[in-house]
Amino acid sequence: MKLNAKILLIILPLLVVAIGCTGWFAHSQLSEASLENSRRQVESALVDLRSSILATQSNTRSNLDLFANDTLLQRYVLTDEEGRYDLLLTALLRLLSSYQKAYPAYFEIRILMPDGFEDVRLSSLDIINTTEFEANSAIFEKILAAGAHDSSFFAMNPDTGQVALYFSKPLLVRDNTREAFDAKPTLRAFLSVAVSLKWLQDKMNEARTETGAVLMLTDAQGKVFMHSEGAEFIRTEEHLSSKLSADGTSHARLENLLSAVPVQDFTAIQLGGQDGFLCSHPVADSYRLVAWLPARKLVKRSNELALFIILICLGSVLVISLVLYAQLNMLIIRPIRHLQRATEAIGRGHLLKKIHVKGNDEVGALAESINAMSASLQKSHEQVRFLAYHDTLTALPNRLMFYEQLASTIATARRSGARFAVLYLDLDHFKRVNDTLGHRAGDQLLGIVAERLAHCMRESDFIARSDSTEDEVSSPGMLARIGGDEFLLLLQDIPDLLLPGVIAERIVDSISKPIPVDNNECYVSASLGITIYPDDGESPDLLIKYADIAMYHAKSEGRNNFQYYRDSMNSAMVERANMESKLREAIRENRLFLQYQPQADLRSGEVIGVEALVRWSDPELGMISPSTFIPFAEENGLIVEIGTWVLEQACRQAVAWLDETGTPIKVAVNVSAVQFAKGNFQEVVRSTLTRSGLAPSHLCLEITETSFMEHIDRIDIVLEEIRALGVLIALDDFGKGFSSLNYLRQFPIDILKIDRSFVNELSDTDSDTGAIITAIIAMAHALHIKVIAEGVENTQQLESLRSRDCDFVQGFYLYRPQDGTGIPPLLIND
């Protein structure tokens, strides 16, 4: 027998009996209890509303007595029409306004003449007075019907279209100046106050929410003045009798309900085709508060209460079931406890623990499922541990695993006195592979590099792979990928300090060989830094840090080599940090400035342009060479901010020279490859020209061959957009780098600048250099490109360039760099 059958066989009969008994009890008791509870709630709501209305009437009557006895009001009604309007109306309106401020519910205060003329009206609402003569209005007829007595009644306000509570008081005043002292007071006017019933509406809606009954205010005939929300069956100004059924019994019941005696018991009646119960309370003379509770509300409450009792019964069944626990213990509880202990052991990490529960029922099947789950968790645990300690791309150990292994190796070496080495490797120009062939090709290249590194290590070194065992983790070496194109190598028990260099040399040679990726041959190189324990450090952080520093030193030495760490390297890093701090401070404190080196036309000798050169003067270090801080600024990204500043200042200076001399001059600005990498350089140029007012044709941007090589995929688009503005493009340092002739054809270049290294070697005896310069000039002219030779320092170089038809020259022989004030005289002289 299945487990669920065993449970149902014991519990189901008891459950059916319990639910049947409680259902019968709920059905017999709920209807009467719900009706009684609703009657009490509705009765309480009617009493509360009636008390509120009576309190409002009492307070308003008292206030009317107070208002009517005011001397100003009595003087007003005794004064003739012309006199009271001119002399007393303003003061009276202020008085009535003060009453409204004190009693905001009095939204309308009026003084009505005995003939029905509305002499004074003050309303706190922004409404239009439909009529000033009230003789024929229903409201005035009720006021007039009261004669010399106070009156209060509910009526529809003709201006707002809403029901209000009206109070009126006749102003019986004796004129002591004209009438005898014992003469009877004469009716001079009526003081009328309209009280807003918003408060009553809110109370009725609140009571509707609490009781579920529809509350209405009617007169003795059943005319509805106002009602709460939810009265869809009737509207204001309709009679309740119009919503009754045709039989005479309903009309008799309604007349009895609207009598002067409070009817506290509910009376079954049908309104608007809906069954329900009605009760009423008299209030304020001939007015009634009526409550109608739809039958469906009572049914709903009865059902809700029945549901609640059924839930209680189900709880009772649960209690009964707990009593039966002792009988079920042998069948269910003990096996479940055994399963619990086993699952707790699995939760503590004992994933291989087996559960032994005998039985062919669901408990036995559950035990088998938990055993299978334990085996699956063990496998998942091993996979998670592998992912936590290994690189997913190459399956090599990651930084975390390498760090733990390095810490363990340090502890072992500290006891044994052994030495070991840490190698930090970074691939050179790896980004170029990603940019040209895509990241998928880059991933393939990294995998091949990892395999070559593995083969380059000594046979005793350990390469942790996915099939490693626990015993192998303690092997004497490790290769790890720590991110991107960076690897760490651990060489343990080195016999001498030369062995790490031998392995590093082997790695450099292996990596520099062509790497086949997607039918392409990729070329990358490796730069390595080496640290030795304990010579260079005795902690994992220091050994890795110093190996990183040595690796960067290898890069600065031309890449594709290795360097052992030396203390001087750390000093150099500290100097670099100090240099960065000073450079940032120089940018912040405006310590950078520009000098301008003129460029001359070889034919006319006139100054045709200048090259803007950034300079830095430090308070402590003095003048710092651009060759020192410009490469550094390119490495840390500060060149973008510096370059933007240079471009802005140079453009503004060119405009200032034009304003001073009237002679336009071309200003050349050097652009770094890093500025192209930002992606919005063309927008920077456009906005700078707009702000400075410089004509685009007076700006020349000098771009090195390095910028073309590093951003070959997008530089043509950027240059085309810049050329579209009218800005000139110059290829700087031509001949210094790869000197690809394809650049001259592919990109929109206006000016070619021959590198100073060619000009320095130019002499009568060096025919090779002269031939190269001649070829460069001829080629540029054939492509309609102007040529500038920079670095001219003597007459021989100048004349040699002139004889080779060079267009422009620049150098110390003609003009040294100078500040902006030295340029205008050159332009004026020319």
Side-chain angles (χ1 to χ4, degrees):
M1 182 180 293
K2 295 295 185 180
L3 181 62
N4 58 352
K6 297 175 183 177
I7 297 175
L8 291 177
L9 185 62
I10 298 174
I11 297 178
L12 189 58
L14 298 175
L15 188 62
V16 171
V17 172
I19 291 179
C21 294
T22 53
W24 173 82
F25 176 81
H27 179 73
S28 62
Q29 297 293 323
L30 286 179
S31 297
E32 182 179 352
S34 178
L35 181 61
E36 178 62 19
N37 182 58
S38 298
R39 186 196 67 77
R40 287 196 300 268
Q41 288 183 342
V42 173
E43 175 66 15
S44 175
L46 292 178
V47 170
D48 180 63
L49 290 174
R50 179 176 181 274
S51 300
S52 299
I53 294 174
L54 294 178
T56 301
Q57 288 180 323
S58 175
N59 293 337
T60 305
R61 288 194 181 101
S62 300
N63 290 335
L64 278 180
D65 292 339
L66 180 64
F67 299 166
N69 291 328
D70 190 272
T71 304
L72 177 59
L73 180 59
Q74 294 182 356
R75 285 175 54 203
Y76 181 88
V77 298
L78 290 175
T79 306
D80 61 84
E81 182 174 333
E82 182 177 355
R84 66 174 177 259
Y85 288 165
D86 292 341
L87 300 176
L88 301 176
L89 180 59
T90 301
L92 180 62
L93 289 175
R94 282 198 300 268
L95 176 65
L96 297 181
S97 178
S98 67
Y99 292 161
Q100 280 189 335
K101 289 181 180 179
Y103 304 96
Y106 299 172
F107 73 93
E108 186 179 75
I109 302 177
R110 300 188 296 173
I111 297 177
L112 302 173
M113 295 293 110
D115 61 354
F117 178 75
E118 188 181 78
D119 191 73
V120 176
R121 176 179 178 269
L122 183 65
S123 175
S124 61
L125 305 178
D126 186 14
I127 54 177
I128 300 174
N129 190 12
T130 57
T131 176
E132 292 183 354
F133 195 76
E134 301 281 347
N136 297 324
S137 69
I139 295 175
F140 183 74
E141 288 177 359
K142 291 184 179 181
I143 294 174
L144 199 61
H149 301 286
D150 297 350
S151 64
S152 65
F153 51 91
F154 295 89
M156 183 73 69
N157 186 288
D159 298 330
T160 64
Q162 297 179 355
V163 176
L165 179 56
Y166 284 85
F167 295 85
S168 70
K169 185 175 183 62
L171 299 178
L172 302 173
V173 183
R174 180 176 57 249
D175 190 350
N176 295 328
T177 60
R178 300 178 183 178
E179 299 176 358
F181 180 77
D182 56 349
K184 277 185 75 173
T186 305
L187 177 63
R188 308 289 181 175
F190 294 95
L191 176 61
S192 174
V193 173
V195 181
S196 172
L197 293 180
K198 185 179 181 305
W199 61 272
L200 180 59
Q201 183 70 60
D202 293 340
K203 278 182 169 290
M204 293 176 74
N205 291 338
E206 182 179 355
R208 157 73 174 173
T209 302
E210 295 175 354
T211 64
V214 176
L215 303 179
M216 296 170 281
L217 177 67
T218 72
D219 59 12
Q221 289 73 41
K223 179 181 178 180
V224 177
F225 288 94
M226 64 187 303
H227 56 75
S228 63
E229 297 174 349
E232 297 86 1
F233 60 88
I234 197 165
R235 295 190 298 272
T236 304
E237 302 266 328
E238 286 187 338
H239 284 75
L240 289 174
S241 58
S242 65
K243 302 299 179 180
L244 295 176
S245 57
D247 62 285
T249 304
S250 297
H251 286 270
R253 290 178 180 175
L254 179 62
E255 290 177 0
N256 181 51
L257 285 168
L258 298 179
S259 64
V261 179
V263 179
Q264 298 181 358
D265 292 330
F266 278 114
T267 299
I269 199 167
Q270 190 179 71
L271 285 177
Q274 300 182 38
D275 293 329
F277 301 89
L278 207 65
C279 66
S280 72
H281 252 288
V283 61
D285 301 325
S286 59
Y287 297 98
R288 303 289 183 268
L289 281 171
V290 179
W292 185 71
L293 184 63
R296 67 175 185 272
K297 295 288 184 180
L298 296 176
V299 173
K300 181 180 179 182
R301 292 183 181 180
S302 177
N303 292 338
E304 291 174 350
L305 189 55
L307 178 61
F308 177 72
I309 293 179
I310 289 174
L311 292 176
I312 294 178
C313 293
L314 291 176
S316 301
V317 171
L318 180 60
V319 173
I320 296 173
S321 300
L322 292 176
V323 175
L324 300 175
Y325 173 75
Q327 299 180 26
L328 299 174
N329 185 50
M330 294 298 297
L331 299 174
I332 298 175
I333 302 303
R334 288 184 180 179
I336 288 179
R337 286 179 177 173
H338 186 68
L339 292 175
Q340 178 184 4
R341 288 190 295 270
T343 53
E344 288 175 352
I346 293 174
R348 290 192 297 269
H350 302 292
L351 300 179
L352 298 180
K353 183 177 180 60
K354 294 294 183 180
I355 303 174
H356 302 283
V357 174
K358 296 181 179 180
N360 296 323
D361 55 13
E362 284 78 357
V363 175
L366 180 59
E368 293 299 325
S369 298
I370 293 178
N371 287 333
M373 179 188 68
S374 175
S376 177
L377 287 175
Q378 175 65 23
K379 184 178 180 181
S380 299
H381 175 73
E382 294 173 355
Q383 293 176 347
V384 170
R385 187 178 184 278
F386 176 82
L387 293 176
Y389 284 93
H390 290 79
D391 171 50
T392 57
L393 177 63
T394 62
L396 291 174
N398 59 13
R399 180 186 293 271
L400 178 60
M401 186 174 182
F402 186 89
Y403 193 97
E404 291 184 1
Q405 179 65 25
L406 181 57
S408 175
T409 301
I410 290 174
T412 302
R414 187 176 291 120
R415 293 190 298 269
S416 63
R419 280 183 168 184
F420 63 86
V422 175
L423 282 67
Y424 200 117
L425 181 148
D426 183 86
L427 297 180
D428 304 322
H429 308 299
F430 175 72
K431 181 177 182 297
R432 191 180 302 167
V433 177
N434 276 337
D435 293 343
T436 55
L437 300 180
H439 289 277
R440 179 175 174 274
D443 291 345
Q444 292 181 17
L445 185 142
L446 288 173
I448 296 173
V449 167
E451 292 177 357
R452 293 187 180 183
L453 291 175
H455 286 100
C456 290
M457 294 184 68
R458 295 175 301 164
E459 292 182 357
S460 60
D461 293 331
F462 166 61
I463 310 301
R465 295 286 181 172
S466 59
D467 56 350
S468 304
T469 64
E470 290 292 327
D471 294 334
E472 290 176 320
V473 176
S474 60
S475 298
M478 178 175 286
L479 166 63
R481 177 175 178 248
I482 60 174
D485 57 349
E486 296 179 325
F487 296 84
L488 280 172
L489 295 85
L490 175 62
L491 306 179
Q492 296 189 18
D493 299 325
I494 56 176
D496 53 60
L497 298 182
L498 297 179
L499 180 61
V502 173
I503 295 179
E505 184 69 30
R506 188 189 310 166
I507 290 173
V508 169
D509 293 340
S510 176
I511 299 301
S512 62
K513 295 177 182 178
I515 299 177
V517 175
D518 286 344
N519 299 321
N520 294 298
E521 285 192 349
C522 297
Y523 291 88
V524 293
S525 58
S527 298
L528 293 94
I530 304 173
T531 53
I532 306 296
Y533 174 90
D535 304 33
D536 300 324
E538 297 186 4
S539 70
D541 291 329
L542 282 179
L543 289 172
I544 294 175
K545 173 185 174 182
Y546 291 157
D548 188 16
I549 292 174
M551 181 271 294
Y552 274 103
H553 189 71
K555 284 185 176 291
S556 67
E557 293 295 322
R559 298 183 172 87
N560 198 33
N561 68 93
F562 65 91
Q563 294 289 329
Y564 282 89
Y565 173 76
R566 300 186 300 275
D567 291 339
S568 58
M569 294 181 182
N570 192 37
S571 300
M573 293 297 292
V574 173
E575 290 178 4
R576 287 173 59 85
N578 291 336
M579 176 70 73
E580 179 178 358
S581 176
K582 286 182 176 294
L583 183 55
R584 292 184 184 276
E585 182 180 355
I587 297 173
R588 187 172 58 253
E589 301 295 334
N590 295 321
R591 292 174 183 162
L592 301 179
F593 62 94
L594 294 183
Q595 288 188 332
Y596 303 90
Q597 186 172 28
Q599 299 167 336
D601 190 320
L602 259 179
R603 297 178 183 84
S604 64
E606 296 179 354
V607 174
I608 53 88
V610 295
E611 180 180 2
L613 304 171
V614 63
R615 297 291 186 261
W616 175 18
S617 178
D618 186 77
E620 299 177 2
L621 304 178
M623 290 296 296
I624 300 176
S625 172
S627 61
T628 300
F629 72 84
I630 289 297
F632 178 75
E634 288 181 328
E635 289 182 14
N636 56 29
L638 292 176
I639 194 64
V640 175
E641 185 176 355
I642 295 174
T644 303
W645 176 83
V646 170
L647 181 63
E648 183 85 28
Q649 296 301 313
C651 290
R652 293 185 183 276
Q653 182 64 75
V655 173
W657 289 333
L658 178 61
D659 294 340
E660 180 178 350
T661 65
T663 302
I665 185 172
K666 173 172 60 65
V667 60
V669 177
N670 291 283
V671 179
S672 168
V674 181
Q675 292 176 265
F676 278 103
K678 295 298 289 185
N680 64 338
F681 180 67
Q682 57 270 43
E683 295 299 327
V684 173
V685 174
R686 182 183 290 108
S687 60
T688 301
L689 290 173
T690 302
R691 288 194 301 272
S692 64
L694 180 66
S697 59
H698 296 161
L699 174 63
C700 177
L701 299 180
E702 296 189 0
I703 305 170
T704 64
E705 290 182 86
T706 304
S707 299
F708 283 94
M709 293 179 59
E710 294 186 0
H711 305 283
I712 192 71
D713 58 332
R714 62 182 303 273
I715 194 171
D716 56 337
I717 300 175
V718 177
L719 292 183
E720 288 292 349
E721 292 186 15
I722 294 176
R723 274 288 301 277
L725 299 175
V727 177
L728 301 177
I729 304 297
L731 179 58
D732 197 11
D733 298 338
F734 186 79
K736 183 179 180 180
F738 290 90
S739 301
S740 174
L741 301 181
N742 189 45
Y743 295 158
L744 303 180
R745 180 187 61 82
Q746 180 179 355
F747 299 114
I749 298 173
D750 301 288
I751 299 172
L752 186 148
K753 296 190 71 174
I754 300 176
D755 187 66
R756 65 176 64 248
S757 61
F758 285 97
V759 178
N760 290 340
E761 297 175 2
L762 187 61
S763 64
D764 293 337
T765 60
D766 189 355
S767 59
D768 292 340
T769 301
I772 293 174
I773 292 179
T774 300
I776 291 174
I777 295 173
M779 176 186 60
H781 287 171
L783 295 174
H784 307 290
I785 298 175
K786 298 293 184 180
V787 179
I788 297 178
E790 56 182 346
V792 178
E793 298 183 355
N794 55 56
T795 303
Q796 181 182 359
Q797 295 172 349
L798 180 67
E799 294 304 325
S800 179
L801 290 169
R802 192 194 309 273
S803 66
R804 288 174 170 80
D805 199 23
C806 183
D807 298 296
F808 313 114
V809 291
Q810 173 184 344
F812 282 8
Y813 179 70
L814 299 174
Y815 303 101
R816 287 183 173 273
Q818 51 196 293
D819 58 23
T821 59
I823 302 302
L826 300 178
L827 301 179
I828 295 173
N829 292 338
D830 288 342

